[in-house]
Amino acid sequence: MEQLSRITPATADTLSALLNAQDPTWGLEIIKNTGRPAGSIYPILDRLENLGWVTSAWEENTDRKGPRRRLYQLTAEGAKAAPDVIASAKLRERQKAARGTSPVFGRSVWA
Amino acid sequence: MKTHRLILKGAIHLLPAHLQARYTEQWQADLEGAQELGMSRTSIVGGAFLTALTMNSNYHFAPLERAHTLAHRARWSIACGLALAIGMVCLVGFVPDRPAEAANLLPKILAILTNLIYSMMWLLVAATPLFFAHLLAIFLPPKIRPVVYLLIPALFIGAFIYDARSQNLGSTTVLWAYFTPFFLSLLIYLWARLSILKAPLRAAVASQAQKTTLAFTTCWLFTGLMLVFALAFLVLFPYSYAPYSLTTYWQLIGEQPYTLWAEHWLIGTTLTLLALLSAYLLIALISRRAKTAQGVIGTSLALSALATLIYLVTVLFMVLPSNSYNSYTDELGGFALIITVLALVSGVFLLLAPRSYRSEYPAEKTKPDGAVLSHSR
């Protein structure tokens, strides 16, 4: 598993959603659980997968017709490292908020 | 739903070929299941587009051997250098001999514009020795590389100062007209170089930084092409003149009725776009990767081929009698020779360089329990 070069709040949310899930989770469900746009989460899942934090597999043994869904889960190493990454991301967000920067809009609350 | 599927297909075509099968099924499943989760289909399609445009396809290739990586980086260097140099050949014939000449003939604003373009020509001239520095740096130990990059710009700055003094121009003009675009060019070029040097060993396709740099480089190339085609039309057009420099060219355009001016640029631009489309299709046919936009424009070989093609068109015009390109024969003899040699050398290099990069990871692996996994490391 390779180190994450940048950890954005969206990355932390994705890791959090994967950590909370007991079983392999459908990619679209992760998008819904994070509440973030698909354009943010798809590339993050791709990056996490290629760095060895996440594995993905096609769903199997389903009666549903049509294309198969892609299911994601944290690797053993990813599951071990994810809590620290999420904690440090949350800490950074808190520090940013304390400095007077809105975590939502990214600009000073005094503006 | 049909519209969404159609747009989704467009997004999938933006992906590298080896990823298309996986994401076609994955995103179609997401699209069909969106309602089940109460999500908007439009957001899925938009997300797919954004992902396809920003996906770092370097992740999906196997590590490279060191020798192959060097060859790969050398190819990118050659492609950038060649494109910049040939852009210079296309453009340099359209500038006045001296900036002061433009100032005497044109209104101030046009004089400034002319001077700016003139200084950009020097920028392209500067790219040619940098191209050689690039080639040298690939094979030099890392500690010596910065010296090569510092030495060559230093030589050029000296030449610029000497040139400016001989024309008695003010220091502000000198700085603005010469140094700023020069340093801009240098930065763009070094950025390309650094991004190539810093690329991870497994990188087999261009990184975002390389693609951006290539976009700048290609802009130069296409601007040159546009001028070449636009002027060719002006020569053929019965009511037009055949100007020899950009100064005269603008002066003549200023004398034409507005309709002629607009018509000229419209047709010139259309011809340019047609030329680009033809080049695109040609490269797509050669590389058999017409469905992958990234594959066509994002390879060093494609850029080199395009640059060489444009150069050949320019040379063809140069040898034709009775047209404005005759002016090239006086001004560009040395440049044309250098570029011809460059094109030849790079063509041979591209043919001989090992091409075993782009070995893909197996697309799928099968787990012992039968579940199909994507590649994992």
Side-chain angles (χ1 to χ4, degrees), chain A residues 2 26 28 32 39 42 46-47 49-50 56-58 68-70 72, chain B residues 22-23 25-26 29-30 36-37 44 51 60 202 372-375:
Chain A
E2 293 175 39
W26 179 23
L28 202 61
K32 193 186 179 188
Y42 280 143
D46 182 65
R47 189 159 62 98
E49 187 177 0
N50 284 289
S56 74
W58 294 116
R68 293 170 296 172
R69 292 173 178 175
R70 195 77 178 178
Y72 291 86
Chain B
R22 170 189 161 171
Y23 281 97
E25 187 165 5
Q26 180 175 345
D30 287 358
E36 189 184 310
L37 294 181
I44 306 290
T51 309
H60 299 273
R202 69 172 179 223
V372 179
L373 271 180
S374 73
H375 55 265

PDB file of all heavy atoms in Angstrom, chain A residues 2 26 28 32 39 42 46-47 49-50 56-58 68-70 72, chain B residues 22-23 25-26 29-30 36-37 44 51 60 202 372-375:
ATOM      1  N   GLU A   2       0.525   2.195  -0.841  1.00  0.00           N
ATOM      2  CA  GLU A   2       1.312   3.431  -0.918  1.00  0.00           C
ATOM      3  C   GLU A   2       0.666   4.536  -0.074  1.00  0.00           C
ATOM      4  O   GLU A   2      -0.546   4.518   0.156  1.00  0.00           O
ATOM      5  CB  GLU A   2       1.424   3.893  -2.375  1.00  0.00           C
ATOM      6  CG  GLU A   2       2.252   2.940  -3.225  1.00  0.00           C
ATOM      7  CD  GLU A   2       2.262   3.329  -4.683  1.00  0.00           C
ATOM      8  OE1 GLU A   2       2.332   4.546  -4.970  1.00  0.00           O
ATOM      9  OE2 GLU A   2       2.180   2.436  -5.535  1.00  0.00           O
ATOM     10  N   TRP A  26     -21.461  -0.921  -2.593  1.00  0.00           N
ATOM     11  CA  TRP A  26     -21.662  -0.407  -3.949  1.00  0.00           C
ATOM     12  C   TRP A  26     -21.138   1.032  -4.012  1.00  0.00           C
ATOM     13  O   TRP A  26     -21.418   1.828  -3.098  1.00  0.00           O
ATOM     14  CB  TRP A  26     -23.164  -0.487  -4.251  1.00  0.00           C
ATOM     15  CG  TRP A  26     -23.589   0.013  -5.590  1.00  0.00           C
ATOM     16  CD1 TRP A  26     -22.842   0.130  -6.707  1.00  0.00           C
ATOM     17  CD2 TRP A  26     -24.907   0.455  -5.924  1.00  0.00           C
ATOM     18  NE1 TRP A  26     -23.597   0.608  -7.740  1.00  0.00           N
ATOM     19  CE2 TRP A  26     -24.882   0.821  -7.282  1.00  0.00           C
ATOM     20  CE3 TRP A  26     -26.106   0.570  -5.216  1.00  0.00           C
ATOM     21  CZ2 TRP A  26     -25.993   1.318  -7.953  1.00  0.00           C
ATOM     22  CZ3 TRP A  26     -27.215   1.041  -5.876  1.00  0.00           C
ATOM     23  CH2 TRP A  26     -27.157   1.411  -7.239  1.00  0.00           C
ATOM     24  N   LEU A  28     -22.044   3.573  -5.626  1.00  0.00           N
ATOM     25  CA  LEU A  28     -23.054   4.632  -5.576  1.00  0.00           C
ATOM     26  C   LEU A  28     -23.554   4.870  -4.145  1.00  0.00           C
ATOM     27  O   LEU A  28     -23.903   5.987  -3.775  1.00  0.00           O
ATOM     28  CB  LEU A  28     -24.231   4.260  -6.488  1.00  0.00           C
ATOM     29  CG  LEU A  28     -25.098   5.419  -6.958  1.00  0.00           C
ATOM     30  CD1 LEU A  28     -24.284   6.415  -7.775  1.00  0.00           C
ATOM     31  CD2 LEU A  28     -26.265   4.920  -7.797  1.00  0.00           C
ATOM     32  N   LYS A  32     -23.634   8.284  -1.925  1.00  0.00           N
ATOM     33  CA  LYS A  32     -24.796   8.778  -1.174  1.00  0.00           C
ATOM     34  C   LYS A  32     -24.440   9.001   0.300  1.00  0.00           C
ATOM     35  O   LYS A  32     -24.813  10.011   0.895  1.00  0.00           O
ATOM     36  CB  LYS A  32     -25.951   7.783  -1.288  1.00  0.00           C
ATOM     37  CG  LYS A  32     -27.255   8.391  -0.810  1.00  0.00           C
ATOM     38  CD  LYS A  32     -28.385   7.434  -0.775  1.00  0.00           C
ATOM     39  CE  LYS A  32     -29.621   8.159  -0.248  1.00  0.00           C
ATOM     40  NZ  LYS A  32     -30.723   7.244  -0.006  1.00  0.00           N
ATOM     41  N   GLY A  39     -18.681  13.318  -8.987  1.00  0.00           N
ATOM     42  CA  GLY A  39     -17.438  13.785  -9.601  1.00  0.00           C
ATOM     43  C   GLY A  39     -16.288  13.875  -8.615  1.00  0.00           C
ATOM     44  O   GLY A  39     -15.123  13.908  -9.007  1.00  0.00           O
ATOM     45  N   TYR A  42     -15.895   9.355  -7.356  1.00  0.00           N
ATOM     46  CA  TYR A  42     -15.363   8.396  -8.342  1.00  0.00           C
ATOM     47  C   TYR A  42     -13.839   8.478  -8.456  1.00  0.00           C
ATOM     48  O   TYR A  42     -13.149   7.457  -8.363  1.00  0.00           O
ATOM     49  CB  TYR A  42     -15.982   8.641  -9.724  1.00  0.00           C
ATOM     50  CG  TYR A  42     -17.372   8.075  -9.942  1.00  0.00           C
ATOM     51  CD1 TYR A  42     -18.317   8.770 -10.690  1.00  0.00           C
ATOM     52  CD2 TYR A  42     -17.739   6.833  -9.443  1.00  0.00           C
ATOM     53  CE1 TYR A  42     -19.592   8.274 -10.915  1.00  0.00           C
ATOM     54  CE2 TYR A  42     -19.017   6.320  -9.661  1.00  0.00           C
ATOM     55  CZ  TYR A  42     -19.937   7.042 -10.403  1.00  0.00           C
ATOM     56  OH  TYR A  42     -21.181   6.529 -10.628  1.00  0.00           O
ATOM     57  N   ASP A  46     -10.994   5.606  -7.321  1.00  0.00           N
ATOM     58  CA  ASP A  46      -9.995   5.120  -8.291  1.00  0.00           C
ATOM     59  C   ASP A  46      -8.587   5.256  -7.715  1.00  0.00           C
ATOM     60  O   ASP A  46      -7.765   4.343  -7.801  1.00  0.00           O
ATOM     61  CB  ASP A  46     -10.127   5.923  -9.590  1.00  0.00           C
ATOM     62  CG  ASP A  46      -9.155   5.440 -10.646  1.00  0.00           C
ATOM     63  OD1 ASP A  46      -9.304   4.298 -11.093  1.00  0.00           O
ATOM     64  OD2 ASP A  46      -8.238   6.213 -11.007  1.00  0.00           O
ATOM     65  N   ARG A  47      -8.345   6.422  -7.106  1.00  0.00           N
ATOM     66  CA  ARG A  47      -7.012   6.683  -6.541  1.00  0.00           C
ATOM     67  C   ARG A  47      -6.734   5.720  -5.369  1.00  0.00           C
ATOM     68  O   ARG A  47      -5.652   5.122  -5.294  1.00  0.00           O
ATOM     69  CB  ARG A  47      -6.964   8.141  -6.050  1.00  0.00           C
ATOM     70  CG  ARG A  47      -5.575   8.621  -5.645  1.00  0.00           C
ATOM     71  CD  ARG A  47      -5.506  10.141  -5.668  1.00  0.00           C
ATOM     72  NE  ARG A  47      -6.421  10.762  -4.724  1.00  0.00           N
ATOM     73  CZ  ARG A  47      -6.071  11.210  -3.508  1.00  0.00           C
ATOM     74  NH1 ARG A  47      -4.824  11.101  -3.111  1.00  0.00           N
ATOM     75  NH2 ARG A  47      -6.946  11.770  -2.708  1.00  0.00           N
ATOM     76  N   GLU A  49      -7.989   2.869  -4.801  1.00  0.00           N
ATOM     77  CA  GLU A  49      -7.847   1.503  -5.297  1.00  0.00           C
ATOM     78  C   GLU A  49      -6.446   1.268  -5.866  1.00  0.00           C
ATOM     79  O   GLU A  49      -5.824   0.243  -5.604  1.00  0.00           O
ATOM     80  CB  GLU A  49      -8.901   1.245  -6.375  1.00  0.00           C
ATOM     81  CG  GLU A  49      -8.939  -0.201  -6.814  1.00  0.00           C
ATOM     82  CD  GLU A  49     -10.025  -0.476  -7.839  1.00  0.00           C
ATOM     83  OE1 GLU A  49     -10.739   0.473  -8.202  1.00  0.00           O
ATOM     84  OE2 GLU A  49     -10.140  -1.621  -8.265  1.00  0.00           O
ATOM     85  N   ASN A  50      -5.974   2.259  -6.600  1.00  0.00           N
ATOM     86  CA  ASN A  50      -4.676   2.078  -7.239  1.00  0.00           C
ATOM     87  C   ASN A  50      -3.504   2.234  -6.284  1.00  0.00           C
ATOM     88  O   ASN A  50      -2.397   1.802  -6.596  1.00  0.00           O
ATOM     89  CB  ASN A  50      -4.549   3.042  -8.415  1.00  0.00           C
ATOM     90  CG  ASN A  50      -5.356   2.542  -9.584  1.00  0.00           C
ATOM     91  OD1 ASN A  50      -4.999   1.557 -10.209  1.00  0.00           O
ATOM     92  ND2 ASN A  50      -6.486   3.174  -9.851  1.00  0.00           N
ATOM     93  N   SER A  56     -11.786  -3.587  -5.267  1.00  0.00           N
ATOM     94  CA  SER A  56     -13.158  -3.584  -5.775  1.00  0.00           C
ATOM     95  C   SER A  56     -13.415  -4.876  -6.531  1.00  0.00           C
ATOM     96  O   SER A  56     -12.475  -5.509  -7.018  1.00  0.00           O
ATOM     97  CB  SER A  56     -13.395  -2.372  -6.672  1.00  0.00           C
ATOM     98  OG  SER A  56     -12.756  -2.546  -7.905  1.00  0.00           O
ATOM     99  N   ALA A  57     -14.665  -5.238  -6.577  1.00  0.00           N
ATOM    100  CA  ALA A  57     -15.042  -6.479  -7.273  1.00  0.00           C
ATOM    101  C   ALA A  57     -16.445  -6.322  -7.823  1.00  0.00           C
ATOM    102  O   ALA A  57     -17.228  -5.509  -7.321  1.00  0.00           O
ATOM    103  CB  ALA A  57     -14.990  -7.643  -6.294  1.00  0.00           C
ATOM    104  N   TRP A  58     -16.736  -7.088  -8.859  1.00  0.00           N
ATOM    105  CA  TRP A  58     -18.094  -7.070  -9.377  1.00  0.00           C
ATOM    106  C   TRP A  58     -18.999  -7.830  -8.413  1.00  0.00           C
ATOM    107  O   TRP A  58     -18.583  -8.842  -7.834  1.00  0.00           O
ATOM    108  CB  TRP A  58     -18.172  -7.742 -10.753  1.00  0.00           C
ATOM    109  CG  TRP A  58     -17.425  -7.019 -11.842  1.00  0.00           C
ATOM    110  CD1 TRP A  58     -16.352  -7.484 -12.534  1.00  0.00           C
ATOM    111  CD2 TRP A  58     -17.697  -5.722 -12.366  1.00  0.00           C
ATOM    112  NE1 TRP A  58     -15.930  -6.547 -13.456  1.00  0.00           N
ATOM    113  CE2 TRP A  58     -16.743  -5.450 -13.365  1.00  0.00           C
ATOM    114  CE3 TRP A  58     -18.645  -4.739 -12.081  1.00  0.00           C
ATOM    115  CZ2 TRP A  58     -16.707  -4.268 -14.088  1.00  0.00           C
ATOM    116  CZ3 TRP A  58     -18.616  -3.558 -12.796  1.00  0.00           C
ATOM    117  CH2 TRP A  58     -17.662  -3.323 -13.781  1.00  0.00           C
ATOM    118  N   ARG A  68     -23.454  -5.302 -13.982  1.00  0.00           N
ATOM    119  CA  ARG A  68     -23.093  -5.609 -12.585  1.00  0.00           C
ATOM    120  C   ARG A  68     -22.629  -4.349 -11.853  1.00  0.00           C
ATOM    121  O   ARG A  68     -22.054  -3.447 -12.460  1.00  0.00           O
ATOM    122  CB  ARG A  68     -21.950  -6.633 -12.562  1.00  0.00           C
ATOM    123  CG  ARG A  68     -22.327  -7.996 -13.079  1.00  0.00           C
ATOM    124  CD  ARG A  68     -21.100  -8.854 -13.260  1.00  0.00           C
ATOM    125  NE  ARG A  68     -20.205  -8.315 -14.280  1.00  0.00           N
ATOM    126  CZ  ARG A  68     -18.995  -8.787 -14.537  1.00  0.00           C
ATOM    127  NH1 ARG A  68     -18.509  -9.792 -13.822  1.00  0.00           N
ATOM    128  NH2 ARG A  68     -18.244  -8.262 -15.478  1.00  0.00           N
ATOM    129  N   ARG A  69     -22.891  -4.328 -10.572  1.00  0.00           N
ATOM    130  CA  ARG A  69     -22.441  -3.196  -9.760  1.00  0.00           C
ATOM    131  C   ARG A  69     -21.030  -3.460  -9.252  1.00  0.00           C
ATOM    132  O   ARG A  69     -20.649  -4.601  -9.028  1.00  0.00           O
ATOM    133  CB  ARG A  69     -23.394  -2.995  -8.571  1.00  0.00           C
ATOM    134  CG  ARG A  69     -24.763  -2.529  -9.016  1.00  0.00           C
ATOM    135  CD  ARG A  69     -25.747  -2.494  -7.885  1.00  0.00           C
ATOM    136  NE  ARG A  69     -27.045  -1.986  -8.341  1.00  0.00           N
ATOM    137  CZ  ARG A  69     -28.125  -1.934  -7.596  1.00  0.00           C
ATOM    138  NH1 ARG A  69     -28.095  -2.361  -6.345  1.00  0.00           N
ATOM    139  NH2 ARG A  69     -29.245  -1.447  -8.091  1.00  0.00           N
ATOM    140  N   ARG A  70     -20.308  -2.383  -9.063  1.00  0.00           N
ATOM    141  CA  ARG A  70     -18.933  -2.507  -8.566  1.00  0.00           C
ATOM    142  C   ARG A  70     -18.945  -2.281  -7.058  1.00  0.00           C
ATOM    143  O   ARG A  70     -19.438  -1.247  -6.574  1.00  0.00           O
ATOM    144  CB  ARG A  70     -18.056  -1.446  -9.245  1.00  0.00           C
ATOM    145  CG  ARG A  70     -16.581  -1.695  -9.103  1.00  0.00           C
ATOM    146  CD  ARG A  70     -16.129  -2.779 -10.042  1.00  0.00           C
ATOM    147  NE  ARG A  70     -14.696  -2.987  -9.945  1.00  0.00           N
ATOM    148  CZ  ARG A  70     -14.042  -3.911 -10.648  1.00  0.00           C
ATOM    149  NH1 ARG A  70     -14.689  -4.705 -11.482  1.00  0.00           N
ATOM    150  NH2 ARG A  70     -12.745  -4.066 -10.515  1.00  0.00           N
ATOM    151  N   TYR A  72     -16.929  -1.948  -3.399  1.00  0.00           N
ATOM    152  CA  TYR A  72     -15.625  -1.524  -2.866  1.00  0.00           C
ATOM    153  C   TYR A  72     -15.510  -1.933  -1.394  1.00  0.00           C
ATOM    154  O   TYR A  72     -16.497  -1.922  -0.658  1.00  0.00           O
ATOM    155  CB  TYR A  72     -15.484  -0.001  -2.954  1.00  0.00           C
ATOM    156  CG  TYR A  72     -15.358   0.522  -4.369  1.00  0.00           C
ATOM    157  CD1 TYR A  72     -16.487   0.797  -5.140  1.00  0.00           C
ATOM    158  CD2 TYR A  72     -14.106   0.751  -4.946  1.00  0.00           C
ATOM    159  CE1 TYR A  72     -16.375   1.277  -6.435  1.00  0.00           C
ATOM    160  CE2 TYR A  72     -13.986   1.230  -6.246  1.00  0.00           C
ATOM    161  CZ  TYR A  72     -15.127   1.489  -6.978  1.00  0.00           C
ATOM    162  OH  TYR A  72     -15.006   1.969  -8.264  1.00  0.00           O
TER     163      TYR A  72
ATOM    164  N   ARG B  22     -14.450  -1.670 -18.137  1.00  0.00           N
ATOM    165  CA  ARG B  22     -14.820  -1.693 -16.726  1.00  0.00           C
ATOM    166  C   ARG B  22     -15.792  -0.567 -16.387  1.00  0.00           C
ATOM    167  O   ARG B  22     -16.818  -0.780 -15.764  1.00  0.00           O
ATOM    168  CB  ARG B  22     -13.564  -1.572 -15.852  1.00  0.00           C
ATOM    169  CG  ARG B  22     -13.956  -1.358 -14.402  1.00  0.00           C
ATOM    170  CD  ARG B  22     -12.826  -1.020 -13.496  1.00  0.00           C
ATOM    171  NE  ARG B  22     -13.364  -0.400 -12.285  1.00  0.00           N
ATOM    172  CZ  ARG B  22     -12.633  -0.151 -11.223  1.00  0.00           C
ATOM    173  NH1 ARG B  22     -11.373  -0.488 -11.199  1.00  0.00           N
ATOM    174  NH2 ARG B  22     -13.178   0.431 -10.169  1.00  0.00           N
ATOM    175  N   TYR B  23     -15.424   0.659 -16.802  1.00  0.00           N
ATOM    176  CA  TYR B  23     -16.248   1.804 -16.390  1.00  0.00           C
ATOM    177  C   TYR B  23     -17.576   1.864 -17.141  1.00  0.00           C
ATOM    178  O   TYR B  23     -18.526   2.450 -16.640  1.00  0.00           O
ATOM    179  CB  TYR B  23     -15.447   3.101 -16.526  1.00  0.00           C
ATOM    180  CG  TYR B  23     -14.512   3.268 -15.353  1.00  0.00           C
ATOM    181  CD1 TYR B  23     -13.179   2.895 -15.422  1.00  0.00           C
ATOM    182  CD2 TYR B  23     -14.982   3.748 -14.135  1.00  0.00           C
ATOM    183  CE1 TYR B  23     -12.338   3.002 -14.337  1.00  0.00           C
ATOM    184  CE2 TYR B  23     -14.148   3.860 -13.033  1.00  0.00           C
ATOM    185  CZ  TYR B  23     -12.827   3.492 -13.145  1.00  0.00           C
ATOM    186  OH  TYR B  23     -11.995   3.590 -12.052  1.00  0.00           O
ATOM    187  N   GLU B  25     -19.524  -0.711 -17.692  1.00  0.00           N
ATOM    188  CA  GLU B  25     -20.452  -1.524 -16.898  1.00  0.00           C
ATOM    189  C   GLU B  25     -20.719  -0.877 -15.539  1.00  0.00           C
ATOM    190  O   GLU B  25     -21.864  -0.811 -15.086  1.00  0.00           O
ATOM    191  CB  GLU B  25     -19.871  -2.935 -16.711  1.00  0.00           C
ATOM    192  CG  GLU B  25     -20.864  -3.878 -16.046  1.00  0.00           C
ATOM    193  CD  GLU B  25     -20.482  -5.349 -16.180  1.00  0.00           C
ATOM    194  OE1 GLU B  25     -19.388  -5.625 -16.705  1.00  0.00           O
ATOM    195  OE2 GLU B  25     -21.290  -6.194 -15.767  1.00  0.00           O
ATOM    196  N   GLN B  26     -19.662  -0.377 -14.928  1.00  0.00           N
ATOM    197  CA  GLN B  26     -19.821   0.206 -13.587  1.00  0.00           C
ATOM    198  C   GLN B  26     -20.746   1.421 -13.611  1.00  0.00           C
ATOM    199  O   GLN B  26     -21.664   1.534 -12.802  1.00  0.00           O
ATOM    200  CB  GLN B  26     -18.440   0.611 -13.047  1.00  0.00           C
ATOM    201  CG  GLN B  26     -18.515   1.232 -11.656  1.00  0.00           C
ATOM    202  CD  GLN B  26     -17.147   1.516 -11.062  1.00  0.00           C
ATOM    203  OE1 GLN B  26     -16.133   1.006 -11.563  1.00  0.00           O
ATOM    204  NE2 GLN B  26     -17.109   2.305 -10.016  1.00  0.00           N
ATOM    205  N   ALA B  29     -24.407   0.569 -14.459  1.00  0.00           N
ATOM    206  CA  ALA B  29     -25.085   0.007 -13.285  1.00  0.00           C
ATOM    207  C   ALA B  29     -25.459   1.125 -12.312  1.00  0.00           C
ATOM    208  O   ALA B  29     -26.565   1.129 -11.739  1.00  0.00           O
ATOM    209  CB  ALA B  29     -24.179  -1.009 -12.601  1.00  0.00           C
ATOM    210  N   ASP B  30     -24.554   2.083 -12.127  1.00  0.00           N
ATOM    211  CA  ASP B  30     -24.842   3.219 -11.239  1.00  0.00           C
ATOM    212  C   ASP B  30     -26.006   4.046 -11.777  1.00  0.00           C
ATOM    213  O   ASP B  30     -26.866   4.498 -11.021  1.00  0.00           O
ATOM    214  CB  ASP B  30     -23.597   4.108 -11.102  1.00  0.00           C
ATOM    215  CG  ASP B  30     -22.516   3.452 -10.239  1.00  0.00           C
ATOM    216  OD1 ASP B  30     -22.770   2.334  -9.738  1.00  0.00           O
ATOM    217  OD2 ASP B  30     -21.437   4.049 -10.089  1.00  0.00           O
ATOM    218  N   GLU B  36     -33.066   4.009  -7.321  1.00  0.00           N
ATOM    219  CA  GLU B  36     -33.212   3.142  -6.141  1.00  0.00           C
ATOM    220  C   GLU B  36     -32.704   3.849  -4.884  1.00  0.00           C
ATOM    221  O   GLU B  36     -33.248   3.688  -3.793  1.00  0.00           O
ATOM    222  CB  GLU B  36     -32.406   1.863  -6.393  1.00  0.00           C
ATOM    223  CG  GLU B  36     -32.601   0.773  -5.395  1.00  0.00           C
ATOM    224  CD  GLU B  36     -31.668  -0.399  -5.701  1.00  0.00           C
ATOM    225  OE1 GLU B  36     -31.634  -0.843  -6.872  1.00  0.00           O
ATOM    226  OE2 GLU B  36     -30.958  -0.837  -4.799  1.00  0.00           O
ATOM    227  N   LEU B  37     -31.639   4.642  -5.061  1.00  0.00           N
ATOM    228  CA  LEU B  37     -31.065   5.372  -3.916  1.00  0.00           C
ATOM    229  C   LEU B  37     -31.552   6.824  -3.856  1.00  0.00           C
ATOM    230  O   LEU B  37     -31.075   7.603  -3.032  1.00  0.00           O
ATOM    231  CB  LEU B  37     -29.536   5.356  -4.007  1.00  0.00           C
ATOM    232  CG  LEU B  37     -28.842   4.004  -3.868  1.00  0.00           C
ATOM    233  CD1 LEU B  37     -27.332   4.166  -3.959  1.00  0.00           C
ATOM    234  CD2 LEU B  37     -29.199   3.332  -2.551  1.00  0.00           C
ATOM    235  N   ILE B  44     -24.780  11.549 -11.792  1.00  0.00           N
ATOM    236  CA  ILE B  44     -23.927  10.394 -12.116  1.00  0.00           C
ATOM    237  C   ILE B  44     -23.178  10.659 -13.426  1.00  0.00           C
ATOM    238  O   ILE B  44     -21.961  10.453 -13.518  1.00  0.00           O
ATOM    239  CB  ILE B  44     -24.780   9.106 -12.299  1.00  0.00           C
ATOM    240  CG1 ILE B  44     -25.672   8.860 -11.083  1.00  0.00           C
ATOM    241  CG2 ILE B  44     -23.898   7.901 -12.611  1.00  0.00           C
ATOM    242  CD1 ILE B  44     -24.970   8.452  -9.849  1.00  0.00           C
ATOM    243  N   THR B  51     -14.734  12.575 -13.900  1.00  0.00           N
ATOM    244  CA  THR B  51     -13.756  11.513 -13.608  1.00  0.00           C
ATOM    245  C   THR B  51     -12.932  11.170 -14.845  1.00  0.00           C
ATOM    246  O   THR B  51     -11.712  11.037 -14.780  1.00  0.00           O
ATOM    247  CB  THR B  51     -14.494  10.242 -13.123  1.00  0.00           C
ATOM    248  OG1 THR B  51     -15.372  10.618 -12.068  1.00  0.00           O
ATOM    249  CG2 THR B  51     -13.527   9.204 -12.624  1.00  0.00           C
ATOM    250  N   HIS B  60      -2.809   2.993 -13.985  1.00  0.00           N
ATOM    251  CA  HIS B  60      -3.266   1.717 -14.518  1.00  0.00           C
ATOM    252  C   HIS B  60      -2.224   1.009 -15.366  1.00  0.00           C
ATOM    253  O   HIS B  60      -2.558   0.165 -16.163  1.00  0.00           O
ATOM    254  CB  HIS B  60      -4.550   1.934 -15.327  1.00  0.00           C
ATOM    255  CG  HIS B  60      -5.644   2.496 -14.475  1.00  0.00           C
ATOM    256  ND1 HIS B  60      -6.496   1.703 -13.746  1.00  0.00           N
ATOM    257  CD2 HIS B  60      -5.995   3.766 -14.195  1.00  0.00           C
ATOM    258  CE1 HIS B  60      -7.332   2.461 -13.067  1.00  0.00           C
ATOM    259  NE2 HIS B  60      -7.055   3.717 -13.329  1.00  0.00           N
ATOM    260  N   ARG B 202       6.756   4.249 -12.969  1.00  0.00           N
ATOM    261  CA  ARG B 202       5.740   3.446 -13.623  1.00  0.00           C
ATOM    262  C   ARG B 202       4.954   4.259 -14.655  1.00  0.00           C
ATOM    263  O   ARG B 202       4.138   3.706 -15.376  1.00  0.00           O
ATOM    264  CB  ARG B 202       4.771   2.878 -12.592  1.00  0.00           C
ATOM    265  CG  ARG B 202       3.909   3.938 -11.956  1.00  0.00           C
ATOM    266  CD  ARG B 202       2.834   3.311 -11.088  1.00  0.00           C
ATOM    267  NE  ARG B 202       2.033   4.350 -10.478  1.00  0.00           N
ATOM    268  CZ  ARG B 202       1.642   4.347  -9.233  1.00  0.00           C
ATOM    269  NH1 ARG B 202       1.988   3.361  -8.453  1.00  0.00           N
ATOM    270  NH2 ARG B 202       0.914   5.316  -8.764  1.00  0.00           N
ATOM    271  N   VAL B 372     -14.451 -11.854  -8.726  1.00  0.00           N
ATOM    272  CA  VAL B 372     -13.526 -11.224  -9.669  1.00  0.00           C
ATOM    273  C   VAL B 372     -13.062  -9.899  -9.085  1.00  0.00           C
ATOM    274  O   VAL B 372     -13.857  -9.048  -8.735  1.00  0.00           O
ATOM    275  CB  VAL B 372     -14.215 -10.994 -11.022  1.00  0.00           C
ATOM    276  CG1 VAL B 372     -13.256 -10.316 -11.985  1.00  0.00           C
ATOM    277  CG2 VAL B 372     -14.666 -12.321 -11.588  1.00  0.00           C
ATOM    278  N   LEU B 373     -11.759  -9.767  -8.959  1.00  0.00           N
ATOM    279  CA  LEU B 373     -11.200  -8.544  -8.383  1.00  0.00           C
ATOM    280  C   LEU B 373     -10.524  -7.718  -9.451  1.00  0.00           C
ATOM    281  O   LEU B 373      -9.995  -8.264 -10.413  1.00  0.00           O
ATOM    282  CB  LEU B 373     -10.146  -8.889  -7.332  1.00  0.00           C
ATOM    283  CG  LEU B 373     -10.624  -9.091  -5.908  1.00  0.00           C
ATOM    284  CD1 LEU B 373      -9.418  -9.411  -5.048  1.00  0.00           C
ATOM    285  CD2 LEU B 373     -11.312  -7.844  -5.378  1.00  0.00           C
ATOM    286  N   SER B 374     -10.515  -6.431  -9.249  1.00  0.00           N
ATOM    287  CA  SER B 374      -9.720  -5.599 -10.149  1.00  0.00           C
ATOM    288  C   SER B 374      -8.276  -5.716  -9.694  1.00  0.00           C
ATOM    289  O   SER B 374      -7.981  -6.296  -8.658  1.00  0.00           O
ATOM    290  CB  SER B 374     -10.169  -4.151 -10.072  1.00  0.00           C
ATOM    291  OG  SER B 374      -9.732  -3.618  -8.874  1.00  0.00           O
ATOM    292  N   HIS B 375      -7.365  -5.138 -10.492  1.00  0.00           N
ATOM    293  CA  HIS B 375      -5.961  -5.214 -10.119  1.00  0.00           C
ATOM    294  C   HIS B 375      -5.752  -4.589  -8.751  1.00  0.00           C
ATOM    295  O   HIS B 375      -6.363  -3.597  -8.413  1.00  0.00           O
ATOM    296  CB  HIS B 375      -5.092  -4.504 -11.162  1.00  0.00           C
ATOM    297  CG  HIS B 375      -5.513  -3.110 -11.401  1.00  0.00           C
ATOM    298  ND1 HIS B 375      -6.365  -2.776 -12.419  1.00  0.00           N
ATOM    299  CD2 HIS B 375      -5.232  -1.987 -10.733  1.00  0.00           C
ATOM    300  CE1 HIS B 375      -6.564  -1.480 -12.373  1.00  0.00           C
ATOM    301  NE2 HIS B 375      -5.894  -0.984 -11.375  1.00  0.00           N
TER     302      HIS B 375
END
